[in-house]
Amino acid sequence: MNLDAVRTFVAAVDAGQFQDAAAALSITQQAVSKRIAALEKDLGVRLFTRTARGTHLTVDGQTFLPHARELLRAEARADASVRPGRRALRVDVHSRRIAPAVLLQDFHRAHPRIELDVVTLDADVHAAMAAVEAGTVDATFHAVTVAARHLPAAIRTTRVIDEHHELLVGPRHALANARSVTPAQLAEHRIWMPGMAPGTEWADYYDELAAAFGLTIDLVGPVFGNEALLAEIADSAELATLAGVRTRYLWPDSYDLRRVPVRDPAPIYPMSLIWRDDNPHPALGALRDYLASRRVPAPDIEVWLPPWAP
């Protein structure tokens, strides 16, 4: 169905006269008549009766009118869903419980008029970058493990998050009551992170971390979800896992889990915002400015970064 003809039909109904509809649409009255005639031919019915006093809707025209208006509303929604500046800014946070999602929620509170479409692509940095390059999302957050000169030409990145670690343990663990722990202390304990996919940037990070401090990171075991992981750790005197300081976990009070900062040095997981430099969405600049303003210089403590950190 020709949407220009549908738009002309609705304009003629609203204006009451073909001549007034022509003025509203900035076309000739003859063009209005031709579009209406083509629509009537396409539908196989008469939409208007024409008299010396003007035009009036037929019964078929009255029946068609609400559907015609809905077609135009659907067209507007479809256009707004993909047109930069009219559609929501589409941002991948990978997981709704980690630091990027927390920061994006803070951005929304600071800029409530900017519409966001928050998505969670099940992808590593390479697949997420491909989604940005293809325009599937406007931006994504990931650790970037390759030098800028090896990135696709249109892709830009900037480090926006330095996520510190906490050790997550149950109440019977030997480190449960520690005020902080060092990576050297963690070398004596089993760090359980089941299901971490090899070849991802987070696997690369933990490989570097384990090699640097002699850690034992155990990937063995099926993945039953975060709830099952927390339950196992709460009930164990040996198991522990690592979490970002802004990672959001919820558990029953009876678990009595402890989050212990890792210091001296403090390992940092570096995350970058990734976007296309030719993306015209006006909210993208606002997001970048906000993230830059929130990136506080590291406190005066010793930190550890992987060798590929930008």
Side-chain angles (χ1 to χ4, degrees), residues 17-102:
Q17 298 284 345
F18 281 14
Q19 182 176 356
D20 294 338
L25 296 170
S26 299
I27 59 177
T28 65
Q29 184 174 340
Q30 183 181 20
V32 169
S33 297
K34 285 184 177 181
R35 288 182 183 181
I36 297 295
L39 182 61
E40 290 176 329
K41 182 178 179 181
D42 185 40
L43 294 172
V45 297
R46 295 294 297 275
L47 298 173
F48 290 99
T49 58
R50 298 163 180 79
T51 68
R53 295 182 179 181
T55 58
H56 304 278
L57 282 174
T58 64
V59 172
D60 287 324
Q62 293 172 9
T63 301
F64 180 65
L65 180 59
H67 300 289
R69 294 192 190 279
E70 180 55 32
L71 280 171
L72 297 182
R73 285 192 291 268
E75 178 198 27
R77 290 194 298 268
D79 181 83
S81 72
V82 296
R83 189 179 297 277
R86 297 183 62 185
R87 64 166 174 79
L89 182 69
R90 193 176 301 121
V91 184
D92 164 47
V93 295
H94 183 67
S95 170
R96 297 183 190 276
R97 63 182 176 83
I98 62 175
V102 176

Side-chain angles (χ1 to χ4, degrees), residues 22-308:
L25 296 170
S26 299
I27 59 177
T28 65
Q29 184 174 340
Q30 183 181 20
V32 169
S33 297
K34 285 184 177 181
R35 288 182 183 181
I36 297 295
L39 182 61
E40 290 176 329
K41 182 178 179 181
D42 185 40
L43 294 172
V45 297
R46 295 294 297 275
L47 298 173
F48 290 99
T49 58
R50 298 163 180 79
T51 68
R53 295 182 179 181
T55 58
H56 304 278
L57 282 174
T58 64
V59 172
D60 287 324
Q62 293 172 9
T63 301
F64 180 65
L65 180 59
H67 300 289
R69 294 192 190 279
E70 180 55 32
L71 280 171
L72 297 182
R73 285 192 291 268
E75 178 198 27
R77 290 194 298 268
D79 181 83
S81 72
V82 296
R83 189 179 297 277
R86 297 183 62 185
R87 64 166 174 79
L89 182 69
R90 193 176 301 121
V91 184
D92 164 47
V93 295
H94 183 67
S95 170
R96 297 183 190 276
R97 63 182 176 83
I98 62 175
V102 176
L103 274 175
L104 201 59
Q105 188 174 10
D106 291 343
F107 172 73
H108 174 64
R109 293 192 185 105
H111 300 275
R113 294 186 179 181
I114 293 179
E115 189 177 357
L116 294 175
D117 182 7
V118 183
V119 302
T120 54
L121 300 179
D122 184 15
D124 66 3
V125 62
H126 304 293
M129 199 175 295
V132 171
E133 192 174 20
T136 305
V137 294
D138 294 299
T140 186
F141 293 87
H142 277 272
V144 179
T145 59
V146 298
R149 64 182 181 275
H150 297 307
L151 298 176
I155 292 295
R156 296 293 178 268
T157 71
T158 185
R159 196 164 116 201
V160 294
I161 300 173
D162 287 347
E163 187 73 335
H164 289 252
H165 289 281
E166 292 174 327
L167 186 73
L168 188 61
V169 296
R172 297 192 295 121
H173 194 278
L175 298 174
N177 296 314
R179 297 186 64 180
S180 65
V181 295
T182 67
Q185 287 176 285
L186 295 185
E188 303 172 9
H189 299 274
R190 177 184 171 199
I191 308 299
W192 194 38
M193 306 185 80
M196 186 160 53
T200 58
E201 74 270 18
W202 48 91
D204 289 347
Y205 171 84
Y206 284 106
D207 284 346
E208 294 283 358
L209 182 64
F213 298 103
L215 304 186
T216 300
I217 297 182
D218 186 357
L219 309 182
V220 175
V223 180
F224 293 108
N226 291 322
E227 292 80 5
L229 175 70
L230 297 178
E232 290 280 353
I233 290 173
D235 195 43
S236 173
E238 297 180 353
L239 293 180
T241 194
L242 290 170
V245 296
R246 281 173 284 197
T247 298
R248 296 184 283 201
Y249 281 123
L250 294 175
W251 57 77
D253 289 342
S254 60
Y255 284 10
D256 194 20
L257 291 170
R258 319 291 174 82
R259 300 181 70 143
V260 184
V262 183
R263 297 286 185 270
D264 301 322
I268 286 178
Y269 189 84
M271 279 182 274
S272 296
L273 184 72
I274 303 170
W275 74 97
R276 280 187 66 108
D277 66 347
D278 57 353
N279 187 327
H281 200 299
L284 184 57
L287 175 61
R288 289 166 51 200
D289 290 343
Y290 178 80
L291 294 173
S293 73
R294 287 292 304 272
R295 189 176 178 216
V296 180
D300 189 19
I301 60 174
E302 183 184 1
V303 300
W304 176 88
L305 283 162
W308 42 257

